[in-house]
Amino acid sequence: MELNYTIIYSKRKNIAITVERDRSIVVRAPAGATPEKIRQAVESRKEWIYIKTKHPQKFNELPHPPGKELVNGESMLYLGRNYLIELVDGVDEIRFAHKFLIPKKLSKRKNVIKQWYIEKAKEIILPRVPRHAIKLGVEYNQAKITDCKYRWGSCTPKNNLNFNWRLIKAPMFIIDYMIIHELAHLLENNHTPQFWNIVKAQITDMEKAKDWLLKNGAILEWDI
């Protein structure tokens, strides 16, 4: 089986291989790594890569993903629950009061709603990172909210943590699970049994979180 993969060079020391949720293969390699050395690394993990690409949590994006018209009676996800949309007069910004109050005359409505989600992600997700870091006894450089569609989060070689803004649509226990997941990579880089033991020690409903993402992850991918 011939594997197609994307190579990303950086100042890292070792070659790392990941299979994204869209089943694409990404190889992160040191700046001086030769194509042959990278090929050998991929070949050595061929069986693991094959298993990962067949994993049920990976998915193929729908050619025409369902969208929303953003009209009265529709709903949007926020912190794990669907809330009704109500188009209203007399307001100039999106407001949330157990339902989404959206200005009728709002232009580029989807872009504005996406930005609202991003701001809420910064407001709710980022302050939880240092709290969990203290519990784990780890230090990180900085945490950011990003728009990386096919990853819920990442921990970079420089100890920076990135979290997908779409997580703000998930329940709080999913947000905490992903924060702990990325912080645990500061202690164990790969998804070894030791890594999962670290995560489980911090979040007892780890399997519940993984199962929720397995069943609902694709829904979170929609921008709105």
Side-chain angles (χ1 to χ4, degrees):
M1 177 182 66
E2 187 65 29
L3 294 174
N4 295 317
Y5 49 86
T6 300
I7 303 173
I8 299 176
Y9 292 99
S10 68
K11 293 181 179 180
R12 64 182 303 118
K13 295 181 180 180
N14 302 310
I15 294 175
I17 303 171
T18 57
V19 178
E20 305 296 342
R21 287 203 316 285
D22 64 344
R23 305 182 194 276
S24 62
I25 303 164
V26 177
V27 180
R28 291 173 173 81
T34 64
E36 178 60 21
K37 186 174 182 179
I38 293 172
R39 188 192 67 78
Q40 290 175 358
V42 172
E43 284 293 322
S44 70
R45 304 203 68 190
K46 207 167 186 177
E47 183 176 353
W48 175 86
I49 292 170
Y50 179 78
I51 293 171
K52 281 292 184 180
T53 56
K54 300 300 180 183
H55 194 281
Q57 196 164 336
K58 311 297 180 183
F59 66 91
N60 295 316
E61 190 169 19
L62 296 173
H64 301 290
K68 291 182 180 292
E69 297 299 323
L70 299 177
V71 297
N72 284 319
E74 279 197 338
S75 62
M76 296 196 307
L77 267 175
Y78 179 51
L79 294 177
R81 292 184 59 186
N82 275 298
Y83 293 94
L84 285 175
I85 292 171
E86 183 178 334
L87 302 182
V88 296
D89 291 312
V91 298
D92 55 7
E93 62 182 10
I94 296 172
R95 296 180 185 177
F96 178 75
H98 298 292
K99 60 183 174 181
F100 285 96
L101 302 175
I102 300 177
K104 282 184 179 179
K105 298 181 180 180
L106 187 65
S107 61
K108 296 183 178 179
R109 193 172 291 158
K110 289 187 178 182
N111 291 339
V112 176
I113 290 173
K114 177 180 176 181
Q115 190 58 42
W116 184 90
Y117 273 133
I118 291 172
E119 292 306 315
K120 285 298 177 181
K122 292 177 181 178
E123 177 185 320
I124 293 172
I125 296 174
L126 294 185
R128 302 182 76 81
V129 180
R131 299 174 202 166
H132 285 299
I134 291 171
K135 292 178 182 178
L136 266 171
V138 297
E139 295 182 357
Y140 61 94
N141 185 22
Q142 61 176 330
K144 296 189 299 182
I145 299 298
T146 64
D147 191 12
C148 185
K149 188 171 183 180
Y150 293 113
R151 303 191 81 179
W152 297 129
S154 63
C155 178
T156 75
K158 293 184 178 180
N159 295 341
N160 293 320
L161 305 177
N162 299 312
F163 298 98
N164 190 324
W165 66 264
R166 295 168 181 84
L167 284 171
I168 200 61
K169 294 187 276 184
M172 191 61 71
F173 80 94
I174 296 297
I175 291 173
D176 285 333
Y177 164 70
M178 286 310 309
I179 292 172
I180 292 167
H181 183 114
E182 298 310 327
L183 286 170
H185 279 307
L186 297 171
L187 297 171
E188 176 61 42
N189 188 46
N190 298 310
H191 292 126
T192 61
Q194 180 183 353
F195 170 85
W196 292 116
N197 286 338
I198 293 169
V199 176
K200 192 170 185 178
Q202 297 295 316
I203 182 164
T204 55
D205 51 1
M206 180 185 77
E207 293 302 328
K208 178 183 174 183
K210 292 168 71 174
D211 186 59
W212 192 96
L213 285 170
L214 176 62
K215 294 177 179 176
N216 302 284
I219 297 174
L220 298 185
E221 296 293 345
W222 308 341
D223 278 356
I224 303 300

